[in-house]
Structures are given as structure tokens and as C-alpha cells.
Amino acid sequence: MASRAKATILDIAREAGVSKSTVSLVLQGSGLIRPETAVKVRKAIEDVGYVYNRGAANLRKAHSNVIGMVINDLTNPFFAELAVGMERVFQAAGVVPFIANTAENPVRQEEVLKSMMEQGVAGLIVSPARGTTPGAFRRIEAAGVPVVFAMRRLPESRIPAIAPDNHRGAVLATEHLIRKGHRRLAFFGGSSDLVVYQERLGGFLEACETLGIPAADRLIVEGETSRKGGMACLETALAIPEPPTAALCFNDAVAFGVMLALRKRGLEAGTDFAVVGFDDVAEAEHYSPALTSVAVDTAGLGERAAHVMLKMIQSRTTRAEDHIGAVSLVVRESSGPDRNTQVGDAA
Amino acid sequence: MASRAKATILDIAREAGVSKSTVSLVLQGSGLIRPETAVKVRKAIEDVGYVYNRGAANLRKAHSNVIGMVINDLTNPFFAELAVGMERVFQAAGVVPFIANTAENPVRQEEVLKSMMEQGVAGLIVSPARGTTPGAFRRIEAAGVPVVFAMRRLPESRIPAIAPDNHRGAVLATEHLIRKGHRRLAFFGGSSDLVVYQERLGGFLEACETLGIPAADRLIVEGETSRKGGMACLETALAIPEPPTAALCFNDAVAFGVMLALRKRGLEAGTDFAVVGFDDVAEAEHYSPALTSVAVDTAGLGERAAHVMLKMIQSRTTRAEDHIGAVSLVVRESSGPDRNTQVGDAA
DNA sequence: CCCTATAAATGGAACGTTCCAATAAATCAA
DNA sequence: TTGATTTATTGGAACGTTCCATTTATAGGG
């Protein structure tokens, strides 16, 4: 079995009675080696329990086969789905993606990015944490390592971004609510330091404008992008004199929170108050009532991001075009018509 | 700015007017360097846009600061929570965990493990994919790299495992159902090639035994550990002549599926059929009706696993003790008393 | 039988770091 | 002053690969 000290190609060269160069060639699957020799070498590799040292190899080879995925919140199933989409593509390309979580913390993100760079990644796919400073990727760009943003983008950056058509999605959702008869609308959750927020809120406001909802009848409540945040939003909204009868939520997590808060008040989403989410996570379909949401084809965007990254690596460029993914509104039960009830009274 | 070719410590040595050794010392935060020199060096590092090459360093240093986390299903929020727990600990220890997903595929797992080994990880925390062959970790053990299993273990392996007390959890849950008056019980989901399954099913059967539920009144339905699997289980169960009135589910995903299938039939979990889940994911509390589940302190187990790993690395051993985490039953709405109704008829 | 062409295998230098042993400079005791 | 001690700094030899330029073996053509 394996000796204490790690085996190197020299050990296996000795074992197989060839030179280290031959072993190296076999390892790389070169056709220059006589098949019988290759077999002999592979046997020695097996016997000795050799493990390839990619670090040493990368010292000579220009670049590695690892790609870093830096994600701001792994516990959000939305991002996990994104990661899975990317993995599909990378696997087929023989590339191994390493994932790291930043937990929405820019400092942690800095550490993680640094670590990945030190590891010599060939490229980086990032969903930047909230509050990422503009300069955070300067070093990485300067080093010539390709970066693509997924789902989120940074305001000033020229790094290519793969994201859904947030504006359009919000317009679709808002029009849907208005067409259902709602006249006092709210936008719940998120915070304005996110570009995504501005895009989604922008779509909401634009639809209100075009379909004649006066500014006085629009309510905007910022909040955490979590169930808890959604609950808080609803409480805030129902506390005002003429509360809204429908809300577009920043994302599904917020929407779930809103529905939960409704239930706590004895109200039902869909009949007493219309709720629309964003992202259409798997759970949305299974919730009760099922959540109307803007589908963004998460896994598809992940695949797209991975493809863009591979292309960038291949053409050794650090530039690429943005990609805006198509969206669609999936209407389910949570967005019923306005019943013209004073929901505020029910509390 | 950064030149085309990557800067090395030699470049920054020249820039700062010192030797490469001095730069190396500064990089490692050695106290041997005069503070002013260190400042000078650090400035050069900044100016040149130098990025440390950990691969080269690992060639000399015995081991690296990266730990691999290999997880069988990232889209299950349960595992994401586990990952988050581990990350907390590793971050504090200055270690960067790289996560990779195997999507419950042993072949993929093999690739991922190989890649991590090649990358020179200091240790591996693994939640093994279903169908992992006994020999899958032989090479890794032989190489002296510490491995710990989290949440799942392998039948024959001597690799330390950190897992909840599955048996006890299942006993608690089953006793709860029986005490609620249920007499015909089912165990839904999972498959017998998982040790976890055997433990949970074992607890279920033991509790049935001690509390006098005859074998004829116990129904065991294997199935996918997903919502879809859960739905299928319920259908199967309600198709038999004397269907059960309550079920312990292999995990929460299965339980959610069961509840969904119930609703599709116009039945309600808790009143028409009692459902208990396992793992107590965050969602359980927020479901409607809220899901009774066995809480396993996921993040806590993640932390524990990380601690064990750090200790193993530090003491350069490949052995450690198993750790069985305490569990508790969280009773919510989904597990009401038996109403003695013939639920099978409702279809 | 020699020369050239092709195929297969090889030695050595390089990659960017660490670490040891050695040097140089500064401080101190006598 | 001298030698011993401490404090900072340094060159050089690894580490495990790749890749280029060679070498060696095999075959083919005249």
C-alpha cells in the first residue's frame, strides 16, 4: 500500500521502469506513448496509490481546470438551483466548479475571492454580496481572470452579467394585479442598494404609471429579503389608513413571509390579499395557496453563465456581453381579484 | 498596474529592494522582519498587484489550508444549512472550505473527490452519495487525508461519522403518533441502501413493537426522498384496503410531498391524516399546516463535524470518534389525533 | 549497408514558493 | 578593542510537475 510519503511521478516511473517524462505523457493521455507502456504505467499508478499534484502541474501549465463559484446565500434554494445549472455544464466540459458561500457578507466575500485567486482558478462566477464595493473586483480583472456575474450585477462594473429581465418580469406581474382589479398596490421587500431591486421596482412603477395607478396609491416597503422580512412588510402595510390590496414581492422568500403573516391575521392570500412573488422557486408551486410568481429559469441562467465563462476562458478574454434571460409570469392561486374589502379591519 | 505576466515574489522583491526570502517571510507574517521593511514590502505587493500562488507554496509546505466539503444534494436546504454551520467554524480557523455537489451520483462523487485530492485538500467532509461503493474512500484514507462523514455513514467504513440520533428521533416521533391514538402507521420514503434509512426505520419499528402495534398494521413504503416521492408514497398507502392514519416520513421533503398529495385529495394533514417529518428544516415551521418534525440541529452538527476535522488535521490522525447528535421532536399542527375516519374512502 | 524518416522515450531546465544554513549588521559584556 | 550574542536579511536547494530538445530504437528506401 501507499508509503508514508506521498508518491510522485518519479516513484511511479521507477516502479514502471520508465522515465518521469513518460509517466507525465501517460497522465496527459498523449498518443505518443506505446499502448503497452501506457498500461504498464497505469498499473504502477494504481499499485502505488499515486495522486496527481495539480498544484505542481499548474506551476508550469498556464491555467488550471478549476472554476470558482461564489454565491451570496446558499441557503436560498434559488441560488442552489443556479449552482446546479452551472454544474451540469461544467461537468460536461471536464471542469470542476468549487463553490463558496459568502453569506451576503462583503468582507467574507473578499476572503473567499482571495482564496480562490490564490488557488489559481481559471475563472470566477459570482453572485455578489450586498454592499460589494466597486473596487472589489479590480485586482481580479487586473490579473486577467475572467469573471461573470450571475443574477446580480454591480452598478458601475463592466463585468458581464447574466440575469433575468427583472424589469419586464415586474411589469408583467404588476399588470396582472391591476388587471385583476387591484387599485392600491404595494412593492414589498428588498433594499435599494441592489441593482436587482431598482430594476424590479422600476418595472412595478412603470406599469403603475402606464395603467394609471396614481403615486398616492402605491406603497413601497423595503425590508429583508427573507420570510421574516416579508412578514414585517405586510404588518407595515396593513397599519396605514388605506392599505393596499395586493403586493408584488421582491422575491419568493418575501412572498412566503407575506402569506404567512396573512394567515396569522386570519386572512388568506389570493382571496383577501393578492400576493405575487419573484423567481418562482420550486416551492412556490407547492405552497398553499400556490404562489403566483415570475419564473426566471434559474437553472437555465446558470447554464448560460457557465457557457459564457467557458467561452471567455477559451478565448482568453475578460470581456463578454451581458445576457438578459426571458421571464414569464406563472399565475397560480395567490393572486386573486380585488374583492374591495377593507382588509385592514380584519386585524 | 499589473503587467501581463503574473508577478511573483521575485518581482516584488526587486520592487521593494529586498530578497525573495524577505518577501516570503513578510507574506507569512513572520516577526523576524523589521516593521519598516514589512511595510515597504507590503506596499510593493499592493503596487504590483501580486497574487499569492498557493499551489507553489504547497509544493514545499506539508499541507494546505483548504478543506473540501462534498455534499450529495445542495438543493436540499437541509444540506445547505449543514454547510453553513461548517463554514462558521472554518472561517474562524482561517480555513476556506470549498463545496462541491455530487447530485447523489457516485460517479460524479468519484470525480469530485479525485479533483479535491489533486487540489491538495487538507481534509474532506463528506455526505456520501447513495450507492457509494465501500472502496470509494480507500485511496483517500491510504493517502492519509482525514475524512469525516456528515449526516450519513457508510456501512463497513471506519471513517468517523457525525450524525443525529436517527433511531431515537424515529422512536420519539412514532411514540408521539401512537399516543395520539393512531393504530395503523406507515413509514414513508427513503430506500434501504442508506444506513440512515435503516436507523430511522429501525426506530419506527422498535416503537411499534414496544407500544403494541402489530406488524400487520405497519406499512412501509420506500420511495424517492423528495416531494414527488412523498406524493407517490401517500397514493400507494391509500390504495390498500385498511390504509394507515398516520405516517412518519423519512425526511421533511417526503413529508411535504405527502401533505401536498393529501390536499390534492381534499384531505388535510393533521385532521384527516397525521404526518411527521424528519430533519426539521426551516420551512417546516412555515408550512401550512405547520409540520411536526424531528429536529436534528443541522447547523450544530455541521459545526461539530468541522471541529472534528480541524482536530484531526491538527493531530495528523485519520481516526476520530463518531458523534451522535441529540434530537428532539417539535410538535406542530400536522400530527393531529386519530379521528377514526376511513380516509381511503375520500378519494 | 548507409541514410533518412518516423516513432517512442528521455534528461534537464523551468515554474513560484519555503526553509535551512549562512551572512551581515547591530548590540553587548568583558 | 575583541569576541559572543542577538537581530535582520539572504542565497540556494528543494518540492512535483511540464515541455523542449535530444537521444535511442525501429523501419523503409535506395
Side-chain angles (χ1 to χ4, degrees):
Chain A
M1 295 301 129
S3 53
R4 204 71 238 116
K6 306 198 181 311
T8 76
I9 53 169
L10 266 101
D11 296 312
I12 89 133
R14 196 180 318 113
E15 181 84 7
V18 298
S19 78
K20 62 179 170 40
S21 302
T22 304
V23 177
S24 176
L25 261 350
V26 171
L27 251 14
Q28 298 171 71
S30 162
L32 291 176
I33 301 293
R34 200 153 42 105
E36 337 163 24
T37 312
V39 168
K40 203 169 50 177
V41 169
R42 268 190 271 273
K43 171 155 184 351
I45 289 179
E46 199 60 40
D47 288 350
V48 174
Y50 165 78
V51 354
Y52 183 71
N53 184 333
R54 205 169 284 277
N58 286 344
L59 220 44
R60 295 266 355 201
K61 294 214 284 213
H63 57 216
S64 70
N65 76 145
V66 354
I67 288 182
M69 265 164 70
V70 177
I71 284 186
N72 62 295
D73 180 12
L74 254 195
T75 60
N76 186 338
F78 176 68
F79 289 105
E81 285 174 31
L82 180 75
V84 167
M86 294 183 193
E87 279 187 320
R88 247 201 304 271
V89 175
F90 285 139
Q91 180 173 12
V95 168
V96 178
F98 284 157
I99 307 171
N101 187 25
T102 63
E104 206 72 277
N105 176 349
V107 177
R108 177 65 175 157
Q109 176 173 271
E110 201 82 32
E111 293 172 10
V112 161
L113 288 174
K114 177 150 171 270
S115 186
M116 292 213 154
M117 287 299 287
E118 291 181 358
Q119 220 58 230
V121 293
L124 244 13
I125 296 187
V126 184
S127 171
R130 234 167 62 193
T132 299
T133 67
F137 293 89
R138 222 204 31 213
R139 299 275 299 251
I140 297 176
E141 280 190 287
V145 172
V147 180
V148 348
F149 287 146
M151 311 317 291
R152 293 181 173 184
R153 84 187 75 226
L154 250 41
E156 329 69 1
S157 176
R158 265 316 301 149
I159 290 175
I162 315 297
D165 192 341
N166 290 307
H167 185 90
R168 175 105 191 99
V171 167
L172 285 176
T174 311
E175 287 177 352
H176 166 71
L177 288 173
I178 296 173
R179 216 172 291 118
K180 283 281 187 180
H182 295 279
R183 286 297 170 267
R184 290 195 309 281
L185 304 182
F187 189 90
F188 283 167
S191 60
S192 50
D193 57 350
L194 240 43
V195 175
V196 190
Y197 178 83
Q198 289 157 8
E199 294 172 345
R200 295 184 179 179
L201 178 61
F204 171 79
L205 293 175
E206 184 187 294
C208 285
E209 201 66 48
T210 25
L211 295 190
I213 304 293
D217 291 343
R218 312 169 197 159
L219 175 68
I220 295 158
V221 188
E222 290 196 16
E224 275 185 52
T225 59
S226 61
R227 282 189 171 83
K228 196 181 301 175
M231 294 175 69
C233 285
L234 186 84
E235 298 306 327
T236 307
L238 295 194
I240 70 171
E242 292 255 313
T245 64
L248 171 58
C249 300
F250 175 73
N251 69 11
D252 287 347
V254 171
F256 293 140
V258 170
M259 286 165 72
L260 192 61
L262 283 169
R263 196 171 304 130
K264 279 212 174 132
R265 284 175 166 256
L267 302 173
E268 180 79 353
T271 57
D272 302 311
F273 189 97
V275 180
V276 178
F278 215 112
D279 293 345
D280 193 33
V281 301
E283 205 179 331
E285 180 182 356
H286 297 139
Y287 226 72
S288 163
L291 178 66
T292 295
S293 189
V294 178
V296 301
D297 185 19
T298 321
L301 286 170
E303 289 180 19
R304 177 80 51 171
H307 274 127
V308 171
M309 170 59 34
L310 289 175
K311 192 142 293 175
M312 287 170 84
I313 290 174
Q314 199 188 330
S315 58
R316 15 183 70 73
T317 175
T318 175
R319 282 280 123 92
E321 302 201 327
D322 284 3
H323 187 276
I324 311 285
V327 298
S328 59
L329 183 70
V330 180
V331 179
R332 300 203 183 88
E333 305 158 10
S334 69
S335 58
D338 181 25
R339 303 197 320 171
N340 218 9
T341 49
Q342 284 292 86
V343 294
D345 299 346
Chain B
M1 296 301 131
S3 53
R4 203 73 235 113
K6 309 200 180 311
T8 77
I9 51 170
L10 264 97
D11 296 312
I12 90 133
R14 196 180 319 114
E15 180 85 6
V18 297
S19 77
K20 62 176 172 41
S21 303
T22 304
V23 177
S24 176
L25 261 351
V26 171
L27 250 15
Q28 298 171 72
S30 162
L32 291 176
I33 301 296
R34 198 153 44 105
E36 337 162 23
T37 312
V39 168
K40 203 169 49 177
V41 169
R42 268 189 271 272
K43 171 151 184 355
I45 289 180
E46 199 60 38
D47 289 350
V48 174
Y50 165 78
V51 357
Y52 184 71
N53 185 333
R54 205 169 284 279
N58 286 342
L59 220 43
R60 296 263 2 200
K61 295 214 284 211
H63 56 214
S64 70
N65 76 146
V66 356
I67 289 183
M69 266 164 70
V70 177
I71 283 187
N72 62 294
D73 180 11
L74 254 194
T75 60
N76 186 336
F78 176 69
F79 289 106
E81 285 173 31
L82 180 76
V84 167
M86 293 183 193
E87 278 186 319
R88 249 202 303 272
V89 175
F90 285 140
Q91 180 172 13
V95 168
V96 178
F98 284 157
I99 307 172
N101 186 25
T102 62
E104 204 74 276
N105 175 350
V107 176
R108 177 65 175 157
Q109 176 174 270
E110 202 81 33
E111 293 171 10
V112 161
L113 288 174
K114 178 151 171 270
S115 186
M116 291 211 154
M117 286 300 287
E118 291 181 358
Q119 221 57 232
V121 293
L124 245 13
I125 297 188
V126 184
S127 172
R130 232 167 64 192
T132 298
T133 67
F137 294 89
R138 222 205 30 211
R139 299 273 299 251
I140 297 176
E141 280 190 286
V145 171
V147 180
V148 348
F149 287 146
M151 310 317 290
R152 292 182 173 182
R153 84 187 75 227
L154 251 40
E156 330 69 1
S157 176
R158 266 315 303 149
I159 290 174
I162 316 296
D165 192 341
N166 290 308
H167 185 92
R168 175 105 191 99
V171 168
L172 285 175
T174 310
E175 287 177 352
H176 166 70
L177 288 173
I178 296 174
R179 216 172 291 118
K180 283 282 186 177
H182 296 279
R183 286 296 170 267
R184 289 195 308 282
L185 304 182
F187 188 91
F188 282 167
S191 61
S192 50
D193 57 350
L194 241 43
V195 175
V196 189
Y197 178 83
Q198 289 156 8
E199 294 172 345
R200 293 184 181 179
L201 179 61
F204 171 77
L205 293 175
E206 183 187 295
C208 285
E209 202 66 49
T210 23
L211 295 190
I213 304 294
D217 292 342
R218 310 169 198 158
L219 175 68
I220 296 159
V221 188
E222 291 196 15
E224 275 185 54
T225 59
S226 62
R227 282 189 172 84
K228 196 180 303 175
M231 294 175 68
C233 285
L234 186 83
E235 299 305 328
T236 306
L238 295 193
I240 71 170
E242 292 255 313
T245 64
L248 171 58
C249 300
F250 175 73
N251 70 11
D252 286 347
V254 171
F256 293 140
V258 170
M259 286 165 73
L260 191 60
L262 283 170
R263 196 171 305 130
K264 279 212 174 130
R265 286 175 164 254
L267 300 174
E268 180 80 351
T271 57
D272 302 310
F273 190 96
V275 180
V276 178
F278 215 112
D279 293 345
D280 193 33
V281 300
E283 207 179 330
E285 180 182 355
H286 297 138
Y287 227 72
S288 161
L291 177 67
T292 296
S293 189
V294 178
V296 301
D297 185 19
T298 320
L301 286 170
E303 290 180 19
R304 177 79 51 170
H307 274 128
V308 170
M309 170 61 33
L310 289 175
K311 193 142 293 176
M312 287 170 84
I313 291 174
Q314 200 188 328
S315 58
R316 16 184 67 74
T317 175
T318 176
R319 283 279 122 91
E321 302 201 326
D322 284 3
H323 186 276
I324 311 285
V327 298
S328 60
L329 183 71
V330 181
V331 178
R332 300 203 182 87
E333 304 158 11
S334 69
S335 58
D338 181 25
R339 302 197 321 171
N340 218 7
T341 49
Q342 283 293 86
V343 294
D345 299 344

